[in-house]
Amino acid sequence: MSAELLPQWTEKVDKRGLDPLGMQNSGVVLYQSLLPGISNVTLRMRYYGYYCWVSETYARHGATNDFESWRNWIRRAEALYALVAARAEEGGVGGVDWANRRLQAGGRSIDFAAAASTDASEERYLRQSLGVFGGAYYTQMAEMGLFTQNRHGIQVATRDLGRRAAALFAEAIGSDLAKLLRKKIVDAQVSVRELDRLGPIAPSEIEGDSDERAFYETLLFATEPTPIPSGPSRGASLYLILETARAIEERPRPDDVRWHLFDPPQIALTQRLEDQRRHWELYHCQDLMQVASAGLLAWAIGILQEVDAGRTVGEIRAEVVERLTARDDQDLTSAWITLRNGVTPEEFGFQDAWDTLTSRRGSVEDKAVLAIRLMAALDQRVLTRPDLTETLLRDLPIRGGAHSLRTELEWLRKGEALPVIERIGDYIVERVVRRHSWVAMQKLRRQRDYTFLFETRDGRLVYLSGYQPVPTTPRLAPAIQFLEDIHLVDEDGLTRGGLQVLEAAL
């Protein structure tokens, strides 16, 4: 994968993420359980070994219990890694934009002490206190058993896995390079020539036949004798990514994995992998439902936008009913149960519906009608699949006021004998308009975030901002990158090593 296509770590922005109906969180909880130890901002595998080495080196050479000293050490280590990556033209590394600017400024030597400091008056490689380590990697490495905290609050590599990772990273780069790397972190100064010498520590430089690479594989797939409890779930998901790469014969994109795992495969998987595939199928159904509901929200907001003075809730419902009636669509005038039972899930265009609803093109009303059909198709898919129903009941428990695929299907089924037009009119009022007001109010109270898309004035709802349905991001992009980093996937799909790993699991 070319460096310019990799995500670039610059500044960690405080993203509020509207999630206007409070439905995305149910999907987030699901995918967190499917790929624990990897997040959407852990972009390169080798960071896991590098940070363990950084921790062990700090511990062995004059470490103190002063948190400021540890923070200074980790920030210098990150700034140097960014410079090495920028010099090697690699992405996915925190601070690489700063590093590119610094290299372009020229000079034989680069002093990065100020950039690695926490002084807000300086041009820092990253603003956050503990850099990428604290903002992205620590929690995931702790999930994998690589890191923990000591009694002074300083993050340290664990005695078993963490120290092993540190030793294997040191062995892979060699003692001379390890000494140079430590010295440059201490000095906070490096020459361009030294950056070239440090090139072997870059993210893509994991040797294919090294013990370091083998360790990362064992860690990711949780094949050690006593894996961390969450490890087997991650391993099963990674095997499914490899299976996708084999099927499509190219490096999979996240959407390739989503859709490949959406339907039961023609060639049966092992029970373990089939169970995991069904968890991914349910997650995708959940995401389809939240996108469909968001499509109805977008339509409701569009109806509000048409009138400067806004509309009452009753007027919104009346408009929805009137416009759906005017479409003269027999499916919409039938009962919900009739619409649902008329769907053949194997023939319904789930992916086409997904593409349309997440596109910025097209009429919000046409998309809303498609969203209604998608919801009926999801209802029928779950209803006719006992295995999927069982997974839904287990993976999406009722949690307080949280909304999910399960809560929405249960609500729709309670009124399944009612005409679709009437049921959707009520849905938009109760599950969309009022739901958004409640969710936005909770965010205002708890987080001081103002996320209202419309506001109340004299009993009328007045347009503030539109909304485009967006899917959740289930950690697949970094997971695929990790598999490429350890040479199991490349642009042609599975490598020979990847095929061996997959066949051992099937």
Side-chain angles (χ1 to χ4, degrees):
M1 187 178 187
S2 59
E4 65 269 19
L5 295 181
L6 282 170
Q8 303 294 308
W9 252 106
T10 54
E11 299 288 351
K12 183 175 180 292
V13 180
D14 181 19
K15 296 180 180 178
R16 295 187 298 183
L18 286 180
D19 189 11
L21 299 176
M23 280 189 65
Q24 291 182 6
N25 191 56
S26 294
V28 171
V29 171
L30 265 178
Y31 74 62
Q32 286 176 339
S33 70
L34 296 174
L35 277 170
I38 299 172
S39 82
N40 287 317
V41 287
T42 55
L43 303 180
R44 302 304 295 265
M45 180 76 250
R46 207 174 200 188
Y47 259 129
Y48 288 54
Y50 180 59
Y51 282 130
C52 290
W53 178 88
V54 167
S55 172
E56 276 299 281
T57 302
Y58 178 77
R60 293 173 182 273
H61 297 277
T64 73
N65 292 325
D66 177 51
F67 187 83
E68 182 60 34
S69 175
W70 161 245
R71 178 167 58 185
N72 183 59
W73 175 259
I74 197 75
R75 288 181 65 84
R76 288 187 175 196
E78 286 192 356
L80 179 57
Y81 204 58
L83 288 166
V84 172
R87 180 66 179 172
E89 299 183 349
E90 292 199 29
V93 173
V96 74
D97 281 359
W98 161 81
N100 279 321
R101 291 194 300 273
R102 187 61 190 82
L103 287 173
Q104 289 168 6
R108 289 187 177 182
S109 183
I110 298 172
D111 186 327
F112 55 91
S117 74
T118 55
D119 186 347
S121 67
E122 299 288 348
E123 183 189 5
R124 294 167 292 172
Y125 79 101
L126 283 178
R127 286 198 302 262
Q128 56 265 45
S129 175
L130 273 178
V132 187
F133 173 78
Y137 283 85
Y138 170 69
T139 55
Q140 303 308 319
M141 291 188 295
E143 177 73 40
M144 284 195 179
L146 294 170
F147 262 84
T148 187
Q149 278 192 351
N150 67 18
R151 60 178 179 169
H152 301 284
I154 294 174
Q155 299 87 352
V156 296
T158 55
R159 292 183 179 180
D160 182 14
L161 288 177
R163 289 181 180 176
R164 198 188 322 167
L168 290 172
F169 177 85
E171 178 185 304
I173 66 174
S175 60
D176 290 344
L177 210 58
K179 289 177 183 177
L180 176 63
L181 179 57
R182 183 178 72 84
K183 184 176 187 305
K184 294 296 98 181
I185 296 174
V186 171
D187 295 346
Q189 192 169 43
V190 66
S191 69
V192 173
R193 186 174 181 179
E194 287 168 334
L195 287 177
D196 289 335
R197 284 186 60 195
L198 289 169
I201 76 169
S204 66
E205 294 297 318
I206 301 171
E207 293 292 338
D209 59 353
S210 67
D211 290 339
E212 181 194 17
R213 191 216 67 80
F215 172 79
Y216 294 144
E217 180 186 309
T218 299
L219 184 71
L220 286 173
F221 289 91
T223 53
E224 60 267 22
T226 55
I228 298 296
S230 63
S233 180
R234 177 182 60 253
S237 291
L238 294 174
Y239 286 126
L240 291 172
I241 294 174
L242 293 181
E243 201 274 327
T244 303
R246 179 171 70 171
I248 68 174
E249 297 183 339
E250 63 183 21
R251 187 187 192 275
R253 300 167 302 167
D255 276 1
D256 293 328
V257 178
R258 276 181 179 260
W259 291 109
H260 184 70
L261 302 182
F262 189 58
D263 294 312
Q266 293 182 347
I267 301 176
L269 298 168
T270 63
Q271 189 61 54
R272 175 195 174 197
L273 295 189
E274 173 55 24
D275 288 344
Q276 190 76 348
R277 185 209 62 77
R278 198 162 50 252
H279 291 305
W280 276 103
E281 179 185 357
L282 178 70
Y283 157 73
H284 199 33
C285 286
Q286 157 66 30
D287 223 24
L288 283 161
M289 176 59 82
Q290 74 89 6
V291 164
S293 297
L296 295 180
L297 173 63
W299 186 28
I301 291 173
I303 291 173
L304 284 178
Q305 190 178 10
E306 296 170 353
V307 181
D308 290 341
R311 300 181 191 268
T312 65
V313 171
E315 288 171 349
I316 294 172
R317 187 187 187 284
E319 283 293 321
V320 167
V321 170
E322 181 180 340
R323 296 181 191 199
L324 290 179
T325 301
R327 296 183 77 92
D328 195 24
D329 186 329
Q330 187 175 352
D331 285 342
L332 300 180
T333 58
S334 64
W336 179 263
I337 189 173
T338 304
L339 175 63
R340 180 189 68 208
N341 291 347
V343 176
T344 303
E346 295 78 14
E347 298 176 2
F348 185 83
F350 286 100
Q351 188 165 0
D352 289 341
W354 169 272
D355 292 342
T356 299
L357 290 171
T358 57
S359 169
R360 293 189 176 275
R361 298 178 180 178
S363 150
V364 288
E365 182 175 321
D366 289 343
K367 288 183 178 181
V369 173
L370 178 60
I372 294 168
R373 297 184 186 281
L374 174 56
M375 293 163 74
L378 288 168
D379 195 359
Q380 182 72 340
R381 185 184 185 103
V382 173
L383 199 62
T384 56
R385 287 272 307 283
D387 60 333
L388 190 57
T389 297
E390 180 183 351
T391 304
L392 178 145
L393 295 175
R394 183 171 61 250
D395 288 3
L396 292 174
I398 302 299
R399 292 191 179 96
H403 283 201
S404 67
L405 172 68
R406 178 178 177 179
T407 63
E408 303 316 280
L409 293 185
E410 288 181 356
W411 189 92
L412 288 166
R413 289 173 188 172
K414 286 179 181 177
E416 63 184 16
L418 296 173
V420 173
I421 291 175
E422 297 296 326
R423 198 62 178 146
I424 293 301
D426 290 340
Y427 186 90
I428 287 179
V429 167
E430 296 180 27
R431 315 293 288 185
V432 173
V433 174
R434 287 179 174 150
R435 172 67 178 177
H436 170 63
S437 294
W438 184 86
V439 168
M441 182 58 71
Q442 298 310 304
K443 290 190 176 185
L444 181 63
R445 288 173 175 170
R446 298 174 183 176
Q447 304 168 18
R448 303 300 181 191
D449 286 341
Y450 195 85
T451 60
F452 289 88
L453 299 174
F454 47 79
E455 63 184 11
T456 304
R457 298 177 193 168
D458 299 324
R460 304 179 73 83
L461 303 180
V462 180
Y463 171 88
L464 291 178
S465 177
Y467 183 72
Q468 170 62 40
V470 293
T472 56
T473 309
R475 303 182 173 183
L476 288 170
I480 294 165
Q481 181 61 52
F482 281 17
L483 293 174
E484 182 174 3
D485 285 346
I486 64 171
H487 308 292
L488 300 184
V489 167
D490 62 18
E491 62 183 9
D492 296 320
L494 281 188
T495 63
R496 181 178 300 177
L499 181 60
Q500 291 174 346
V501 169
L502 179 59
E503 288 182 338
L506 296 179

